[in-house]
Protein backbone atom coordinates (compact mmCIF):
# COMPACT_ATOMS: atom_id res chain seq x y z
CA UNK A 1 0.00 0.00 0.00
CA UNK A 2 1.23 3.50 -0.81
CA UNK A 3 2.44 5.70 2.00
CA UNK A 4 0.03 8.35 3.33
CA UNK A 5 1.06 11.15 5.66
CA UNK A 6 -1.60 12.76 7.85
CA UNK A 7 -1.07 15.85 9.97
CA UNK A 8 -3.12 15.64 13.16
CA UNK A 9 -4.05 18.27 15.73
CA UNK A 10 -6.30 18.63 18.76
CA UNK A 11 -7.86 21.61 20.56
CA UNK A 12 -9.91 21.58 23.79
CA UNK A 13 -12.97 23.64 24.64
CA UNK A 14 -15.51 23.78 27.49
CA UNK A 15 -19.19 24.00 26.66
CA UNK A 16 -22.74 23.29 27.80
CA UNK A 17 -25.50 21.71 25.73
CA UNK A 18 -28.81 19.88 25.59
CA UNK A 19 -29.12 17.12 23.01
CA UNK A 20 -32.48 18.32 21.76
CA UNK A 21 -33.65 21.11 19.48
CA UNK A 22 -35.71 24.20 20.24
CA UNK A 23 -38.92 22.21 19.68
CA UNK A 24 -37.90 19.62 22.28
CA UNK A 25 -37.17 16.97 19.66
CA UNK A 26 -34.20 14.62 20.09
CA UNK A 27 -32.82 11.33 18.76
CA UNK A 28 -32.52 10.27 22.42
CA UNK A 29 -35.23 8.84 24.64
CA UNK A 30 -37.32 11.24 26.74
CA UNK A 31 -35.55 10.17 29.96
CA UNK A 32 -32.01 10.35 28.58
CA UNK A 33 -29.84 12.56 30.85
CA UNK A 34 -28.12 14.21 27.86
CA UNK A 35 -31.41 15.99 27.12
CA UNK A 36 -30.89 18.04 30.30
CA UNK A 37 -28.55 21.02 30.27
CA UNK A 38 -25.08 19.69 31.06
CA UNK A 39 -21.47 20.32 30.13
CA UNK A 40 -18.32 18.64 28.83
CA UNK A 41 -14.62 19.21 28.48
CA UNK A 42 -14.63 18.63 24.73
CA UNK A 43 -11.62 17.86 22.55
CA UNK A 44 -11.80 18.61 18.84
CA UNK A 45 -9.48 16.65 16.53
CA UNK A 46 -8.57 16.99 12.88
CA UNK A 47 -6.64 14.82 10.45
CA UNK A 48 -5.42 16.44 7.25
CA UNK A 49 -3.22 15.67 4.26
CA UNK A 50 -0.76 18.29 3.06
CA UNK A 51 -0.91 20.77 5.94
CA UNK A 52 1.90 23.30 6.07
CA UNK A 53 2.86 22.21 9.59
CA UNK A 54 1.43 20.59 12.70
CA UNK A 55 1.39 23.93 14.54
CA UNK A 56 -0.41 25.70 11.68
CA UNK A 57 -3.10 23.01 11.70
CA UNK A 58 -3.44 23.24 15.49
CA UNK A 59 -3.88 27.01 15.30
CA UNK A 60 -6.55 26.69 12.58
CA UNK A 61 -8.45 24.14 14.66
CA UNK A 62 -8.18 26.24 17.84
CA UNK A 63 -9.48 29.28 15.92
CA UNK A 64 -12.41 27.24 14.59
CA UNK A 65 -13.57 26.04 18.02
CA UNK A 66 -12.88 29.32 19.86
CA UNK A 67 -16.50 30.60 19.52
CA UNK A 68 -17.73 27.45 21.31
CA UNK A 69 -15.51 27.78 24.36
CA UNK A 70 -17.50 28.47 27.56
CA UNK A 71 -20.70 28.77 25.59
CA UNK A 72 -24.06 27.08 25.04
CA UNK A 73 -23.73 24.83 21.99
CA UNK A 74 -27.47 24.99 21.29
CA UNK A 75 -26.91 28.62 20.31
CA UNK A 76 -24.65 27.48 17.47
CA UNK A 77 -26.34 24.36 16.12
CA UNK A 78 -29.84 23.00 16.67
CA UNK A 79 -28.82 19.46 17.72
CA UNK A 80 -25.38 19.44 19.40
CA UNK A 81 -24.47 15.77 19.19
CA UNK A 82 -20.78 14.89 18.85
CA UNK A 83 -21.44 14.06 15.20
CA UNK A 84 -23.08 17.41 14.44
CA UNK A 85 -20.32 19.23 16.31
CA UNK A 86 -17.79 17.50 14.07
CA UNK A 87 -19.76 18.68 11.02
CA UNK A 88 -19.88 22.25 12.35
CA UNK A 89 -16.13 22.31 13.03
CA UNK A 90 -15.41 20.74 9.64
CA UNK A 91 -17.36 23.52 7.92
CA UNK A 92 -15.57 26.21 9.96
CA UNK A 93 -12.17 24.75 9.07
CA UNK A 94 -13.00 24.77 5.35
CA UNK A 95 -9.69 23.13 4.48
CA UNK A 96 -9.54 21.06 1.26
CA UNK A 97 -6.93 18.81 2.83
CA UNK A 98 -9.10 17.65 5.77
CA UNK A 99 -9.56 13.88 5.90
CA UNK A 100 -11.63 13.72 9.10
CA UNK A 101 -12.80 15.78 12.05
CA UNK A 102 -13.53 14.29 15.46
CA UNK A 103 -15.12 15.35 18.71
CA UNK A 104 -14.21 13.64 21.96
CA UNK A 105 -16.91 14.65 24.45
CA UNK A 106 -15.31 12.81 27.37
CA UNK A 107 -12.08 10.89 27.95
CA UNK A 108 -14.00 7.74 27.13
CA UNK A 109 -16.15 8.45 24.07
CA UNK A 110 -16.29 10.34 20.82
CA UNK A 111 -17.10 10.45 17.12
CA UNK A 112 -15.01 11.07 13.99
CA UNK A 113 -16.47 12.00 10.58
CA UNK A 114 -14.85 12.04 7.16
CA UNK A 115 -15.97 14.24 4.28
CA UNK A 116 -18.61 11.72 3.18
CA UNK A 117 -20.14 11.57 6.68
CA UNK A 118 -18.76 8.10 7.34
CA UNK A 119 -18.74 8.09 11.12
CA UNK A 120 -16.47 6.28 13.55
CA UNK A 121 -18.18 6.09 16.97
CA UNK A 122 -16.21 4.75 19.92
CA UNK A 123 -16.47 4.24 23.67
CA UNK A 124 -13.87 2.99 26.14
CA UNK A 125 -14.45 0.61 29.06
CA UNK A 126 -12.26 -0.87 31.80
CA UNK A 127 -12.03 -4.04 33.84
CA UNK A 128 -9.54 -5.45 36.33
CA UNK A 129 -8.40 -9.05 35.90
CA UNK A 130 -5.60 -11.56 36.44
CA UNK A 131 -4.02 -13.78 33.80
CA UNK A 132 -0.94 -15.71 32.76
CA UNK A 133 0.25 -16.89 29.35
CA UNK A 134 0.81 -20.66 29.56
CA UNK A 135 2.73 -21.13 26.28
CA UNK A 136 5.58 -18.67 26.72
CA UNK A 137 9.17 -19.81 27.25
CA UNK A 138 10.35 -20.57 30.79
CA UNK A 139 11.36 -17.38 32.56
CA UNK A 140 9.13 -15.10 30.47
CA UNK A 141 7.47 -12.62 32.84
CA UNK A 142 4.05 -13.19 31.30
CA UNK A 143 4.22 -16.86 32.28
CA UNK A 144 3.80 -15.82 35.91
CA UNK A 145 0.33 -15.12 37.25
CA UNK A 146 -0.12 -11.35 37.20
CA UNK A 147 -2.83 -8.84 36.37
CA UNK A 148 -3.80 -5.70 34.49
CA UNK A 149 -6.30 -2.91 34.45
CA UNK A 150 -7.49 -3.82 30.96
CA UNK A 151 -9.19 -1.24 28.78
CA UNK A 152 -11.44 -2.05 25.84
CA UNK A 153 -12.64 0.29 23.09
CA UNK A 154 -15.66 -0.65 21.02
CA UNK A 155 -15.64 0.97 17.57
CA UNK A 156 -18.74 1.31 15.37
CA UNK A 157 -18.58 2.56 11.77
CA UNK A 158 -21.67 3.90 10.01
CA UNK A 159 -22.63 6.23 7.19
CA UNK A 160 -24.88 8.77 8.86
CA UNK A 161 -26.50 10.17 5.67
CA UNK A 162 -27.44 13.47 7.39
CA UNK A 163 -28.55 11.76 10.62
CA UNK A 164 -27.92 13.69 13.83
CA UNK A 165 -26.09 10.81 15.48
CA UNK A 166 -24.96 7.24 15.04
CA UNK A 167 -24.93 4.47 17.64
CA UNK A 168 -25.82 5.90 21.04
CA UNK A 169 -22.93 5.63 23.49
CA UNK A 170 -25.36 4.06 25.96
CA UNK A 171 -26.04 1.30 23.43
CA UNK A 172 -22.33 0.50 23.41
CA UNK A 173 -22.39 0.39 27.21
CA UNK A 174 -25.40 -1.93 27.21
CA UNK A 175 -23.81 -4.53 24.94
CA UNK A 176 -20.56 -4.30 26.92
CA UNK A 177 -22.05 -4.78 30.41
CA UNK A 178 -22.62 -8.58 30.30
CA UNK A 179 -19.02 -9.11 29.21
CA UNK A 180 -17.74 -6.77 31.90
CA UNK A 181 -19.56 -8.93 34.44
CA UNK A 182 -17.79 -12.04 33.14
CA UNK A 183 -14.32 -10.46 33.10
CA UNK A 184 -14.10 -7.98 35.98
CA UNK A 185 -12.30 -9.29 39.10
CA UNK A 186 -11.75 -12.70 37.53
CA UNK A 187 -8.80 -14.76 36.34
CA UNK A 188 -9.09 -14.79 32.55
CA UNK A 189 -7.52 -18.24 32.27
CA UNK A 190 -10.56 -19.70 34.08
CA UNK A 191 -13.02 -18.37 31.49
CA UNK A 192 -13.94 -20.78 28.63
CA UNK A 193 -12.15 -19.73 25.45
CA UNK A 194 -9.50 -17.70 27.30
CA UNK A 195 -7.12 -20.42 28.46
CA UNK A 196 -4.32 -18.51 26.65
CA UNK A 197 -5.50 -14.92 27.27
CA UNK A 198 -3.23 -12.79 25.10
CA UNK A 199 -4.49 -9.40 23.91
CA UNK A 200 -5.20 -10.94 20.50
CA UNK A 201 -7.16 -13.87 21.96
CA UNK A 202 -9.16 -11.56 24.21
CA UNK A 203 -9.97 -9.17 21.34
CA UNK A 204 -11.24 -12.04 19.19
CA UNK A 205 -13.20 -13.51 22.13
CA UNK A 206 -14.91 -10.17 22.65
CA UNK A 207 -15.61 -9.72 18.93
CA UNK A 208 -17.34 -13.09 18.68
CA UNK A 209 -19.71 -12.17 21.49
CA UNK A 210 -20.32 -8.53 20.59
CA UNK A 211 -20.76 -8.63 16.81
CA UNK A 212 -24.10 -10.52 16.91
CA UNK A 213 -25.42 -7.86 19.30
CA UNK A 214 -24.02 -4.84 17.43
CA UNK A 215 -23.94 -5.13 13.65
CA UNK A 216 -22.15 -1.75 13.30
CA UNK A 217 -19.19 -3.02 15.34
CA UNK A 218 -16.06 -2.45 13.24
CA UNK A 219 -13.13 -3.05 15.61
CA UNK A 220 -12.46 -4.18 19.16
CA UNK A 221 -9.36 -2.67 20.78
CA UNK A 222 -7.80 -4.17 23.90
CA UNK A 223 -5.26 -2.24 25.97
CA UNK A 224 -3.28 -4.80 27.95
CA UNK A 225 -1.19 -1.98 29.41
CA UNK A 226 -1.20 1.78 28.92
CA UNK A 227 1.51 1.35 26.25
CA UNK A 228 0.43 -1.72 24.29
CA UNK A 229 -2.62 -3.43 22.86
CA UNK A 230 -4.38 -5.11 19.96
CA UNK A 231 -7.15 -4.31 17.47
CA UNK A 232 -9.33 -7.00 15.87
CA UNK A 233 -11.97 -6.59 13.14
CA UNK A 234 -13.14 -10.17 12.79
CA UNK A 235 -10.33 -11.07 10.37
CA UNK A 236 -7.21 -9.02 10.99
CA UNK A 237 -5.07 -8.41 14.05
CA UNK A 238 -3.13 -5.18 14.52
CA UNK A 239 -1.03 -4.46 17.57
CA UNK A 240 0.53 -1.21 18.80
CA UNK A 241 3.37 -0.41 21.15
CA UNK A 242 4.00 3.05 22.57
CA UNK A 243 7.40 4.57 23.23
CA UNK A 244 8.16 7.97 24.75
CA UNK A 245 11.35 9.90 24.22
CA UNK A 246 12.66 13.30 25.26
CA UNK A 247 14.52 15.22 22.57
CA UNK A 248 15.85 18.64 21.61
CA UNK A 249 15.59 20.16 18.14
CA UNK A 250 15.83 23.28 16.01
CA UNK A 251 13.71 23.77 12.88
CA UNK A 252 16.08 25.72 10.68
CA UNK A 253 13.72 25.85 7.67
CA UNK A 254 10.89 27.56 9.56
CA UNK A 255 9.98 31.19 9.06
CA UNK A 256 12.74 33.42 10.51
CA UNK A 257 10.27 34.90 13.01
CA UNK A 258 8.99 31.51 14.19
CA UNK A 259 10.07 30.52 17.70
CA UNK A 260 10.75 26.92 16.58
CA UNK A 261 13.97 28.19 15.00
CA UNK A 262 15.28 28.47 18.55
CA UNK A 263 16.65 25.36 20.27
CA UNK A 264 13.72 23.76 22.09
CA UNK A 265 12.42 20.29 22.94
CA UNK A 266 9.46 17.93 23.21
CA UNK A 267 8.29 14.93 25.17
CA UNK A 268 7.37 12.82 22.15
CA UNK A 269 4.84 10.00 22.05
CA UNK A 270 5.65 7.42 19.39
CA UNK A 271 3.11 4.69 18.58
CA UNK A 272 4.30 1.77 16.43
CA UNK A 273 1.56 -0.23 14.66
CA UNK A 274 2.25 -3.74 13.36
CA UNK A 275 0.10 -6.15 11.35
CA UNK A 276 0.88 -9.87 11.26
CA UNK A 277 -0.91 -13.22 11.17
CA UNK A 278 -1.74 -14.90 14.45
CA UNK A 279 0.70 -17.45 15.85
CA UNK A 280 -1.87 -20.03 16.90
CA UNK A 281 0.47 -21.64 19.43
CA UNK A 282 1.59 -18.48 21.18
CA UNK A 283 -1.75 -16.73 20.72
CA UNK A 284 -0.14 -13.49 19.58
CA UNK A 285 1.06 -11.82 16.40
CA UNK A 286 4.28 -10.28 17.73
CA UNK A 287 5.45 -10.26 21.35
CA UNK A 288 5.28 -6.70 22.71
CA UNK A 289 8.61 -7.35 24.42
CA UNK A 290 10.19 -8.28 21.09
CA UNK A 291 8.91 -5.03 19.54
CA UNK A 292 10.56 -3.05 22.32
CA UNK A 293 13.81 -5.00 22.03
CA UNK A 294 14.02 -4.62 18.24
CA UNK A 295 13.26 -0.91 18.45
CA UNK A 296 15.67 -0.22 21.31
CA UNK A 297 18.73 0.70 19.16
CA UNK A 298 16.63 3.35 17.39
CA UNK A 299 15.16 4.54 20.67
CA UNK A 300 18.63 5.10 22.08
CA UNK A 301 19.40 7.44 19.16
CA UNK A 302 16.27 9.49 19.88
CA UNK A 303 15.93 9.70 23.63
CA UNK A 304 17.79 12.54 25.40
CA UNK A 305 19.48 13.64 22.19
CA UNK A 306 19.39 16.58 19.80
CA UNK A 307 17.46 15.35 16.75
CA UNK A 308 19.43 17.68 14.50
CA UNK A 309 22.43 15.41 15.09
CA UNK A 310 20.76 12.27 13.67
CA UNK A 311 22.56 10.88 10.63
CA UNK A 312 20.34 10.93 7.57
CA UNK A 313 17.81 13.45 8.94
CA UNK A 314 17.95 16.86 7.28
CA UNK A 315 15.26 18.63 9.34
CA UNK A 316 13.64 17.21 12.51
CA UNK A 317 10.04 18.19 11.77
CA UNK A 318 7.53 15.47 12.77
CA UNK A 319 6.98 14.17 9.23
CA UNK A 320 10.71 13.83 8.56
CA UNK A 321 11.34 12.16 11.92
CA UNK A 322 8.52 9.65 11.29
CA UNK A 323 9.98 8.79 7.88
CA UNK A 324 13.46 8.49 9.42
CA UNK A 325 12.09 6.06 12.01
CA UNK A 326 10.40 4.00 9.28
CA UNK A 327 13.69 3.71 7.39
CA UNK A 328 15.58 2.70 10.51
CA UNK A 329 12.96 0.21 11.79
CA UNK A 330 11.96 -1.68 8.65
CA UNK A 331 14.66 -4.33 8.82
CA UNK A 332 14.08 -5.27 12.46
CA UNK A 333 10.29 -4.85 12.41
CA UNK A 334 9.03 -5.92 8.97
CA UNK A 335 5.45 -6.10 10.33
CA UNK A 336 5.47 -2.33 10.97
CA UNK A 337 2.92 -0.51 8.79
CA UNK A 338 2.10 2.73 10.59
CA UNK A 339 3.87 5.25 12.81
CA UNK A 340 2.10 7.88 14.93
CA UNK A 341 4.40 10.61 16.25
CA UNK A 342 3.03 13.27 18.59
CA UNK A 343 5.23 16.18 19.68
CA UNK A 344 2.52 17.51 22.02
CA UNK A 345 -0.72 15.73 23.14
CA UNK A 346 -2.89 15.07 20.09
CA UNK A 347 -0.64 17.05 17.73
CA UNK A 348 1.73 15.38 15.31
CA UNK A 349 1.69 13.11 12.28
CA UNK A 350 0.42 9.68 11.25
CA UNK A 351 2.56 7.95 8.62
CA UNK A 352 0.70 4.95 7.23
CA UNK A 353 1.53 2.40 4.57
CA UNK A 354 -1.06 -0.09 5.82
CA UNK A 355 -4.51 0.41 7.32
CA UNK A 356 -5.33 3.97 8.40
CA UNK A 357 -7.76 2.90 11.09
CA UNK A 358 -8.68 2.47 13.82
CA UNK A 359 -7.59 5.51 15.73
CA UNK A 360 -7.10 5.69 19.48
CA UNK A 361 -8.24 8.42 21.87
CA UNK A 362 -5.89 11.28 22.75
Amino acid sequence: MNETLFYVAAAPFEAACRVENALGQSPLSAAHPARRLHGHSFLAKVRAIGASSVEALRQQLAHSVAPLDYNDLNQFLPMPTDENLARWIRARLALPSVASVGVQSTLHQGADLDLADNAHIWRRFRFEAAHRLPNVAPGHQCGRMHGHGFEVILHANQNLQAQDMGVDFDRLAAVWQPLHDQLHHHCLNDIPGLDNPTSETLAAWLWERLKPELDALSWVSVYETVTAGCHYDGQHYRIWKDQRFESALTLNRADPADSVRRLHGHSYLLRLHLTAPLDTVMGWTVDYGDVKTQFNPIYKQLDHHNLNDLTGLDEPDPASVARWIRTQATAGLPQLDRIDLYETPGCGVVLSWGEHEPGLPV
Side-chain angles (χ1 to χ4, degrees):
M1 183 177 289
N2 294 332
E3 176 184 283
T4 305
L5 177 70
F6 297 99
Y7 288 80
V8 294
F13 62 97
E14 309 289 328
C17 65
R18 296 182 183 88
V19 183
E20 64 177 26
N21 64 21
L23 300 176
Q25 300 166 328
S26 175
L28 302 175
S29 66
H32 199 290
R35 297 187 66 165
R36 301 193 297 267
L37 183 65
H38 63 288
H40 291 290
S41 294
F42 289 93
L43 186 71
K45 302 180 291 182
V46 62
R47 178 180 289 194
I49 297 173
S52 59
S53 71
V54 173
E55 179 58 17
L57 185 63
R58 187 201 65 78
Q59 290 180 10
Q60 288 172 297
L61 180 62
H63 175 76
S64 295
V65 302
L68 305 176
D69 198 29
Y70 285 91
N71 233 317
D72 181 350
L73 299 183
N74 292 75
Q75 302 302 310
F76 292 85
L77 60 168
M79 190 72 71
T81 60
D82 287 2
E83 295 87 336
N84 281 341
L85 267 173
R87 290 184 175 111
W88 188 92
I89 295 166
R90 186 179 65 195
R92 284 270 300 178
L93 275 169
L95 294 174
S97 61
V98 166
S100 66
V101 172
V103 170
Q104 195 168 313
S105 49
T106 75
L107 288 172
H108 304 294
Q109 64 189 37
D112 306 286
L113 269 71
D114 68 13
L115 297 181
D117 271 1
N118 294 307
H120 164 228
I121 316 297
W122 60 271
R123 188 166 185 178
R124 174 165 46 191
F125 305 93
R126 183 180 176 94
F127 68 93
E128 313 293 324
H131 79 158
R132 62 177 294 269
L133 302 186
N135 298 337
V136 297
H140 194 295
Q141 64 180 5
C142 292
R144 301 190 296 268
M145 184 59 71
H146 61 289
H148 298 289
F150 290 89
E151 292 191 348
V152 173
I153 299 177
L154 304 186
H155 307 260
N157 285 358
Q158 298 171 279
N159 186 284
L160 294 190
Q161 298 177 341
Q163 299 175 64
D164 289 314
M165 62 181 289
V167 175
D168 183 8
F169 298 124
D170 286 356
R171 171 62 179 156
L172 298 180
V175 299
W176 165 252
Q177 188 59 48
L179 296 173
H180 176 271
D181 294 342
Q182 293 183 60
L183 300 167
H184 185 57
H185 288 172
H186 283 85
C187 176
L188 300 185
N189 301 75
D190 296 336
I191 298 173
L194 291 177
D195 51 300
N196 184 23
T198 62
S199 297
E200 289 90 336
T201 300
L202 179 56
W205 186 91
L206 291 169
W207 174 274
E208 290 168 1
R209 286 151 182 80
L210 288 164
K211 184 64 175 177
E213 303 297 322
L214 185 66
D215 186 60
L217 186 70
S218 53
W219 291 87
V220 172
S221 301
V222 173
Y223 284 79
E224 183 168 307
T225 69
V226 295
T227 65
C230 175
H231 307 292
Y232 183 64
D233 69 349
Q235 293 183 309
H236 307 105
Y237 296 91
R238 304 191 69 216
I239 68 165
W240 76 87
K241 176 64 179 172
D242 287 357
Q243 300 273 280
R244 292 184 180 271
F245 60 92
E246 315 293 325
S247 301
L249 72 155
T250 303
L251 296 181
N252 296 306
R253 296 177 184 168
D255 185 277
D258 197 320
S259 61
V260 296
R261 287 184 67 103
R262 299 194 295 265
L263 182 64
H264 61 288
H266 295 297
S267 294
Y268 288 90
L269 169 61
L270 171 67
R271 180 166 292 139
L272 304 172
H273 299 257
L274 302 92
T275 302
L278 188 71
D279 183 322
T280 56
V281 174
M282 300 307 298
W284 62 41
T285 52
V286 185
D287 184 355
Y288 298 128
D290 290 346
V291 175
K292 184 176 181 179
T293 298
Q294 288 293 329
F295 189 74
N296 195 49
I298 303 168
Y299 177 83
K300 288 181 176 179
Q301 296 180 65
L302 298 167
D303 187 47
H304 284 80
H305 283 287
N306 185 338
L307 299 183
N308 295 81
D309 296 336
L310 287 173
T311 301
L313 181 64
D314 293 333
E315 179 83 332
D317 60 277
S320 297
V321 174
R323 288 189 168 115
W324 182 90
I325 291 170
R326 178 186 179 183
T327 299
Q328 300 296 312
T330 298
L333 294 171
Q335 309 93 339
L336 185 69
D337 63 2
R338 175 174 150 184
I339 293 168
D340 301 354
L341 182 65
Y342 298 95
E343 55 187 14
T344 60
C347 298
V349 297
V350 171
L351 181 67
S352 175
W353 56 102
E355 294 287 340
H356 300 327
E357 300 298 342
L360 291 170
V362 174

